[in-house]
Amino acid sequence: MFDLFREISQTLANNKLRTFLTGISVAWGIFMLIVLLGMARGVVNSFEGSNWSKTSNKISIYQGRTSQSYKGYAEGRLITPEMSDMEYLKENNPDYVSDVTSYIYMGSTIFSTSKDYISVNPQGVYPYEQKQDNVNVIAGRFINDSDIRENRKTIVIEEKNAKTLFGDAKEAVGKRVDAMGLSWLVVGVYSHEWRDNVYLPFSTVKLLKGNDRDVSNLTVEIKNVSTIEDGESAEKEIRNSLAGKHEYSPEDKSGLYFYNSFTDYLKNKTVFGILSLSVWIIGIFTLLSGIIGVSNIMFVSVRERTHEIGIRRAIGAKPRNILVQILAESVVITTLFGYVGVVLGMIVTQIISKFTEGTNFLKNPTVSMEIALEVTVVLIIAGMIAGFFPARKATKVKPVEALRDE
């Protein structure tokens, strides 16, 4: 083994410039592969870390207008979700429906204390909205089921607004603010990158707005789904239930507008999987130019060492020994310069990560240890491919002819 490494080092030393120039192409190919993989990983991390991916198991339903006549009803009839649809869907679709909620947006409203006031658009919500909006409660709690059931006048406000109204955000919990002619108890304070919503119990806001049976939307949390087909089956079952209740054709997709976040998430996840595969393909083709260079240098090396190979064969070296040596030289050259590209690529991705920290487009665009191991395997395979044909040629050298070679 020691002799093998000594021979490899001698070969590299005897062909310094040629080896260096060829190695640069290998390093460049791997460098580009690492940077592209890092960028692709950053995009995927942003997608998987988004609030959308965390709340993808839902179907949103909105008001629609029929496009077909049905059971004596003319087309063009306005269909609006109702409060009663919430319990109806849970009772009639137990296999797919985990929960059904809704929300109400109100117009600009003044919330005031003796200290100051804020003007915001309050939102009547169910407890599910905390997960939906990725709300991080830093003091107190979010709207809960008791608030909904008892029509409580409770409120959850954003941290900066709490500081405006009370001076100290965390001390706001348990205090009161005035709005819409009522006194509201602050039960929670939350922080968010960009949201400043004021959250109120859905049932309380519904009473303030007249308590009619219609709602502008339904949010159905679905369960027992893992594939696109499962998501489509759940949507079909829910659509059929509401079509039967509101008496419009189940085939009429205009009756109520459905947005299936689950199937949309899986489709986008597939697209990002294709993106990662495409990056590997592009990177490997870039590396291919380096592999060809390594192969050429090994062909030249074999030609220059024909006499040496003949002597080794004449004194008993087996073809396998020659094959192993040439392959090992090729793998060493490829792996050595490849890791130069890996190190440079990782440095660049770390720099990109620092510049994009906190952005939504690229999240941690760096390569993991798993990817580094995969690249190592690629380098070894590339080196073996590059050295295979020169090594094969070397094993076919006939000792007698090689000894005559000058």
Side-chain angles (χ1 to χ4, degrees):
M1 183 63 70
F2 177 77
D3 290 337
L4 177 61
F5 281 108
R6 182 172 54 81
E7 290 174 1
I8 292 172
S9 62
Q10 287 178 350
T11 301
L12 297 179
N14 292 335
N15 301 280
K16 292 178 182 177
L17 180 60
R18 189 169 57 200
T19 302
F20 175 75
L21 293 176
T22 302
I24 287 296
S25 62
V26 174
W28 175 254
I30 288 296
F31 170 79
M32 290 301 299
L33 177 59
I34 290 293
V35 172
L36 288 172
L37 285 173
M39 297 291 283
R41 187 70 254 171
V43 173
V44 172
N45 286 342
S46 295
F47 169 73
E48 293 180 345
S50 66
N51 189 47
W52 181 33
S53 67
K54 297 174 185 176
T55 59
S56 62
N57 60 328
K58 68 174 185 177
I59 296 175
S60 301
I61 305 169
Y62 303 95
Q63 183 184 77
R65 193 176 294 275
T66 61
S67 61
Q68 302 173 17
S69 57
Y70 185 73
K71 290 187 176 180
Y73 292 103
E75 63 180 76
R77 184 163 54 99
L78 186 67
I79 306 295
T80 303
E82 299 175 353
M83 291 282 291
S84 59
D85 292 338
M86 296 183 187
E87 290 302 321
Y88 181 84
L89 286 175
K90 286 190 282 187
E91 291 173 2
N92 288 273
N93 304 273
D95 293 336
Y96 286 119
V97 176
S98 174
D99 195 13
V100 186
T101 62
S102 184
Y103 57 86
I104 302 173
Y105 280 117
M106 301 182 71
S108 180
T109 305
I110 301 295
F111 289 82
S112 64
T113 63
S114 58
K115 181 178 178 61
D116 211 331
Y117 74 92
I118 57 173
S119 178
V120 291
N121 298 316
Q123 184 179 353
V125 299
Y126 282 85
Y128 175 77
E129 204 69 23
Q130 180 178 8
K131 177 182 177 182
Q132 168 69 21
D133 286 356
N134 194 26
V135 173
N136 176 33
V137 176
I138 60 173
R141 61 172 176 82
F142 196 69
I143 300 299
N144 62 23
D145 290 329
S146 296
D147 294 328
I148 302 294
R149 187 171 53 254
E150 299 175 17
N151 304 321
R152 292 174 179 171
K153 293 185 286 294
T154 52
I155 179 176
V156 177
I157 56 179
E158 192 269 336
E159 183 179 14
K160 294 185 182 65
N161 287 334
K163 288 180 180 179
T164 300
L165 293 173
F166 300 102
D168 189 316
K170 294 185 178 180
E171 290 184 3
V173 177
K175 296 183 179 178
R176 291 187 171 273
V177 297
D178 297 322
M180 298 171 281
L182 299 171
S183 177
W184 300 80
L185 176 66
V186 178
V187 295
V189 176
Y190 73 93
S191 65
H192 198 276
E193 291 181 9
W194 52 271
R195 291 186 186 277
D196 64 353
N197 301 37
V198 166
Y199 294 104
L200 312 173
F202 180 90
S203 58
T204 307
V205 174
K206 193 66 177 169
L207 286 171
L208 289 172
K209 291 180 72 69
N211 200 30
D212 60 275
R213 65 178 186 175
D214 294 339
V215 292
S216 62
N217 61 82
L218 295 173
T219 300
V220 183
E221 187 176 10
I222 56 178
K223 61 182 180 180
N224 300 327
V225 290
S226 56
T227 65
I228 292 176
E229 290 72 21
D230 291 340
E232 291 174 344
S233 295
E235 179 181 336
K236 183 177 180 180
E237 184 172 308
I238 294 166
R239 186 184 295 278
N240 289 343
S241 293
L242 290 176
K245 184 174 182 293
H246 291 274
E247 294 187 290
Y248 71 91
S249 172
E251 305 302 321
D252 186 358
K253 294 189 177 182
S254 298
L256 285 171
Y257 174 74
F258 278 62
Y259 175 63
N260 194 327
S261 297
F262 179 77
T263 56
D264 204 35
Y265 168 74
L266 291 185
K267 289 174 183 177
N268 279 281
K269 192 174 182 179
T270 301
V271 170
F272 283 108
I274 294 172
L275 171 65
S276 297
L277 178 61
S278 300
V279 167
W280 271 104
I281 293 172
I282 293 170
I284 288 173
F285 271 104
T286 305
L287 179 62
L288 192 59
S289 61
I291 294 174
I292 294 171
V294 173
S295 185
N296 287 336
I297 201 176
M298 296 313 300
F299 269 118
V300 173
S301 177
V302 168
R303 179 70 187 88
E304 291 177 345
R305 294 157 61 192
T306 300
H307 192 73
E308 174 197 330
I309 293 171
I311 294 173
R312 294 185 62 185
R313 290 292 306 278
I315 61 177
K318 296 180 180 180
R320 184 180 66 231
N321 301 125
I322 306 298
L323 181 70
V324 169
Q325 180 184 346
I326 303 300
L327 283 176
E329 290 178 11
S330 177
V331 169
V332 167
I333 292 173
T334 306
T335 305
L336 178 63
F337 285 96
Y339 264 97
V340 171
V342 169
V343 172
L344 292 176
M346 293 181 74
I347 291 172
V348 169
T349 55
Q350 289 290 343
I351 293 172
I352 294 173
S353 179
K354 289 293 183 184
F355 276 103
T356 59
E357 191 173 1
T359 64
N360 292 325
F361 175 64
L362 286 176
K363 184 177 181 181
N364 191 26
T366 56
V367 293
S368 63
M369 183 59 67
E370 181 183 353
I371 292 178
L373 291 174
E374 290 173 356
V375 170
T376 302
V377 173
V378 169
L379 284 172
I380 293 172
I381 293 173
M384 294 180 69
I385 292 173
F388 176 75
F389 294 103
R392 187 181 176 192
K393 180 181 179 181
T395 61
K396 293 183 178 180
V397 173
K398 296 180 180 179
V400 175
E401 294 179 2
L403 291 172
R404 292 175 184 166
D405 189 73
E406 295 295 335

